[in-house]
Amino acid sequence: MTDLADIASELYAQTLDAFTAARNERAKNLDDKALAKDVRALRKPSASAWVLNMMTVYRGDHLREALTLGAAMREAQEQLDRSELKKLGAQRQQLVSALVKDGAALAGELGHPPSPATALEVEQTLKAAMADAGTAAAVSTGRLVRALEASGWEAVDLSGAVGGPFDSGAPAAGSPADGDSDAEPEADPAAEARADLDDAEDRSEETAAALKRAQERVEQLDRDRESLAQQVKDLRKRIRALEQEIDIIDDDADDAARERTEAERTAKEAAREVVRARKAVEKLTR
């Protein structure tokens, strides 16, 4: 039977702009009302969390390499092995830089190139995952909801960081006791309100994007119309110039026609003179 974690994993593997519609559609088609409610409460990931979720889907090997290095660094920290920490720290910086660059390229391929602020949050979350085992577990789920940041080697606050069920290794605050494992989960008005807020923000973003596209379309059409109007103006000017050339040609044609008529008259007169001259020669030579 499909559970909330499975559904959440499917949803958080969606592209950023498809998440809300996919979540709502999935919840609507569930017969289990309690599960549908939990699905409906899943929060849309932030831009940086989405990049990291996509990396778990498409760059899982690279991400695991970073998390493995982070585990080695934590072990060196526990053992106070400064030499090993220094060596691993240099590797971490190179690996994180490469991952951030790769994640940005991946996000661009999926239609959402990250802003510099988003890329910075991706970097901070990766460093936090390498410094804190709980954060590494959160990132590994592929259901990250928000960016995370570590302060040294201290544990990171993971509240609300993962969509769906998540256990970083310690009981979550407010989780039921062992004897209450079958108790029906209480409604979470805050989660529902956050989901409603996400929907409203999504609709607002979509409306703003549609308005921007419409405005850009209007501006482009205005530019196209202006260009065509200028072309019409230039063509009309060219037509007037051609009409003037036609008038000149017509005048020249009229002159040429008169010259032809005069030449034809002159030619006929000359032909008559030739006939008269021949007759005169014939008469004299008889």
Side-chain angles (χ1 to χ4, degrees):
M1 180 178 178
T2 303
D3 60 12
L4 180 59
D6 292 333
I7 295 174
S9 295
E10 294 173 9
L11 294 174
Y12 284 104
Q14 300 280 339
T15 55
L16 190 59
D17 51 1
F19 176 85
T20 301
R23 177 197 65 193
N24 295 346
E25 184 68 19
R26 194 74 167 85
K28 184 175 70 174
N29 293 328
L30 286 170
D31 295 328
D32 186 331
K33 300 304 179 185
L35 179 58
K37 186 176 181 180
D38 289 338
V39 171
R40 181 74 172 72
L42 292 173
R43 294 171 57 198
K44 181 179 179 180
S46 68
S48 56
W50 174 78
V51 172
L52 287 158
N53 292 340
M54 293 303 97
M55 291 179 73
T56 65
V57 176
Y58 297 100
R59 302 290 189 271
D61 291 343
H62 298 168
L63 198 56
R64 281 190 290 274
E65 181 182 354
L67 299 182
T68 300
L69 178 62
M73 291 184 67
R74 293 194 298 275
E75 183 178 353
Q77 171 65 19
E78 290 174 1
Q79 296 176 358
L80 299 179
D81 188 338
R82 301 303 179 191
S83 175
E84 183 69 5
L85 265 179
K86 183 177 181 180
K87 181 183 74 174
L88 294 176
Q91 294 179 24
R92 182 191 76 162
Q93 188 56 46
Q94 293 178 356
L95 185 54
V96 168
S97 296
L99 280 173
V100 171
K101 184 177 180 180
D102 190 25
L106 173 61
E109 292 172 6
L110 296 174
H112 292 278
S115 66
T118 296
L120 179 59
E121 288 185 349
V122 170
E123 179 179 355
Q124 291 172 341
T125 304
L126 285 170
K127 289 181 177 178
M130 297 175 78
D132 174 62
T135 304
V139 170
S140 296
T141 64
R143 296 183 272 117
L144 204 62
V145 172
R146 62 178 175 85
L148 299 169
E149 186 174 2
S151 176
W153 297 95
E154 296 180 5
V156 177
D157 178 14
L158 300 176
S159 57
V162 176
F166 170 66
D167 183 1
S168 64
S175 60
D178 291 342
D180 299 329
S181 59
D182 294 331
E184 185 175 341
E186 297 181 0
D188 185 355
E192 294 181 6
R194 285 194 298 268
D196 290 339
L197 175 59
D198 285 342
D199 287 347
E201 288 177 342
D202 287 342
R203 287 192 295 272
S204 177
E205 291 175 1
E206 291 169 1
T207 301
L211 175 60
K212 182 180 179 182
R213 289 193 297 271
Q215 182 62 34
E216 290 174 348
R217 178 63 175 158
V218 169
E219 292 173 356
Q220 182 60 54
L221 289 172
D222 283 343
R223 288 192 294 270
D224 292 345
R225 186 187 185 283
E226 184 177 349
S227 175
L228 289 172
Q230 183 61 48
Q231 292 180 47
V232 169
K233 184 178 179 180
D234 293 341
L235 287 172
R236 285 174 176 165
K237 186 184 296 184
R238 178 60 178 157
I239 288 171
R240 286 195 296 270
L242 291 173
E243 287 174 340
Q244 291 174 355
E245 291 182 15
I246 289 173
D247 289 340
I248 292 172
I249 290 172
D250 287 344
D251 291 342
D252 291 342
D254 290 341
D255 291 342
R258 285 193 293 271
E259 292 175 359
R260 183 184 62 185
T261 300
E262 180 64 24
E264 289 174 346
R265 187 189 64 78
T266 302
K268 289 178 181 179
E269 182 63 30
R272 286 195 292 270
E273 290 180 359
V274 168
V275 171
R276 287 196 296 269
R278 283 179 179 169
K279 288 180 178 180
V281 170
E282 291 174 356
K283 184 177 180 180
L284 293 172
T285 56
R286 285 179 184 172

